[in-house]
Amino acid sequence: MSIEHYENFPVASVLCPPALRPAVTAIYRFARTADDLADEGDAPAAQRLDDLRAFRGELQATAGGATPGPRWASVFAPLQRQIADHALPLPLLHDLLSAFEQDLVQQRYTDRQDLLGYCQRSANPVGRLLLHLYGIDDTTSLQRSDQICTALQLANFWQDLSVDTGRNRLYIPLADCERFGVAPQALLARQDSPAARALVADMVGWTRTLMHAGSPLVHSVPGRAGWELRLVVQGGLRILDRVAMLGHATLDTRPTLGWTDVVTMAWRALRMRPAPAHRLQKARP
């Protein structure tokens, strides 16, 4: 399912075009390593921020042609080659790092717009980097990619509610907590309740709507990459299914995907069809 970590979605899978697999792997390893600097181990926040700043400096230096330093040579040596070969947009890589830094200084989000601003840097750059590799840069495709990536990020939040609250992080917007009458401190204390489950169910419904809005992108990405994207979309939707199957009680349990879910995802991916032309015309403003 992944290179080194458990992941919901395939990374550089057999469906990825072989010519692009080294670039996808290099991007993944860059993001995964930075995420681990922000999250793994027991280093204090100040040390993590220093490490991320050093990581950012290494990105800037190697992108400029410097020889990668020894600490993260396994990350930046292959990434340097892919930056040169594919002209990867550096601002997108920097955006990812800024999101990991934000995780160390901001643990609450006022409303959905505030949370979407985080997702714009924590998730959307990955989709845009992949579209760059596929040579796709039209406005509609970029918008749909952002919707899919944001939905994947949100699905991960609702899946990891029990994990993130243990780190004093609450990604459910405070405005939504207030709307459902759920105290943020109750969520951070992992106090399950009917109101908390209703709140998570509302988050899942919002996320599902975003994913469906972006899913027509699978018909714009050609060949094997398009089929991999179908599985990514279905993987996100399947995680939402798993959250729902738990009665939205992810304060207690973290759902994961198994091989039986892969069969369901593959079947649903095969059945994804473009919307009929008359429906597309009605949907246009």
Side-chain angles (χ1 to χ4, degrees):
M1 294 289 285
S2 72
I3 299 172
E4 293 168 344
H5 289 256
Y6 168 84
E7 299 289 345
N8 292 331
F9 318 111
V11 176
S13 77
V14 293
L15 291 177
C16 180
L20 298 181
R21 204 168 293 157
V24 174
T25 302
I27 292 168
Y28 170 82
R29 195 175 294 277
F30 167 84
R32 182 74 264 176
T33 301
D35 192 20
D36 285 349
L37 288 174
D39 280 347
E40 298 300 321
D42 54 5
Q47 180 61 54
R48 294 178 188 278
L49 284 169
D50 286 344
D51 287 343
L52 285 169
R53 291 188 190 105
F55 198 76
R56 185 189 293 277
E58 189 75 357
L59 169 63
Q60 198 66 37
T62 55
T67 300
R71 183 176 181 184
W72 296 298
S74 63
V75 173
F76 287 104
L79 184 64
Q80 185 180 52
R81 290 192 293 271
Q82 301 310 318
I83 289 172
D85 289 349
H86 298 282
L88 297 179
L90 289 182
L92 295 176
L93 296 173
H94 281 287
D95 280 349
L96 287 171
L97 295 183
S98 74
F100 297 136
E101 291 166 344
Q102 182 172 325
D103 269 332
L104 294 169
V105 297
Q106 181 176 347
Q107 287 80 40
R108 309 287 185 273
Y109 291 86
T110 304
D111 52 28
R112 294 187 181 189
Q113 200 59 40
D114 192 17
L115 184 59
L116 290 175
Y118 170 79
C119 294
Q120 184 177 351
R121 289 173 293 108
S122 70
N124 298 0
V126 175
R128 289 183 173 236
L129 284 163
L130 293 178
L131 288 188
H132 175 82
L133 292 175
Y134 303 147
I136 298 173
D137 60 1
D138 63 280
T139 301
T140 298
S141 294
L142 291 173
Q143 180 183 31
R144 287 171 173 170
S145 172
D146 289 348
Q147 290 168 326
I148 289 172
C149 290
T150 291
L152 291 172
Q153 177 74 89
L154 294 176
N156 183 248
F157 288 155
W158 320 143
Q159 174 191 24
D160 280 353
L161 198 55
S162 64
V163 177
D164 290 329
T165 50
R167 294 171 172 156
N168 194 37
R169 292 180 188 167
L170 184 61
Y171 292 103
I172 295 179
L174 299 180
D176 289 292
C177 291
E178 183 177 359
R179 185 162 57 93
F180 278 83
V182 178
Q185 287 304 316
L187 294 176
L188 291 168
R190 296 173 59 182
Q191 295 174 6
D192 190 22
S193 68
R197 295 190 185 201
L199 173 58
V200 175
D202 194 65
M203 297 296 100
V204 167
W206 171 40
T207 305
R208 195 180 295 277
T209 297
L210 274 173
M211 185 69 82
H212 284 302
S215 63
L217 180 63
V218 305
H219 306 296
S220 301
V221 178
R224 295 164 63 168
W227 283 101
E228 180 173 43
L229 182 56
R230 289 173 185 236
L231 287 174
V232 168
V233 167
Q234 293 303 329
L237 291 171
R238 189 60 178 167
I239 275 294
L240 298 177
D241 290 344
R242 284 291 177 189
V243 173
M245 289 175 192
L246 286 172
H248 303 98
T250 51
L251 278 172
D252 292 328
T253 306
R254 181 185 187 275
T256 59
L257 297 181
W259 287 109
T260 57
D261 295 295
V262 174
V263 174
T264 300
M265 290 157 49
W267 173 245
R268 291 178 177 176
L270 286 169
R271 298 184 64 193
M272 295 178 77
R273 296 287 186 271
H278 69 277
R279 285 177 56 191
L280 289 176
Q281 290 172 356
K282 285 183 179 180
R284 290 173 184 156

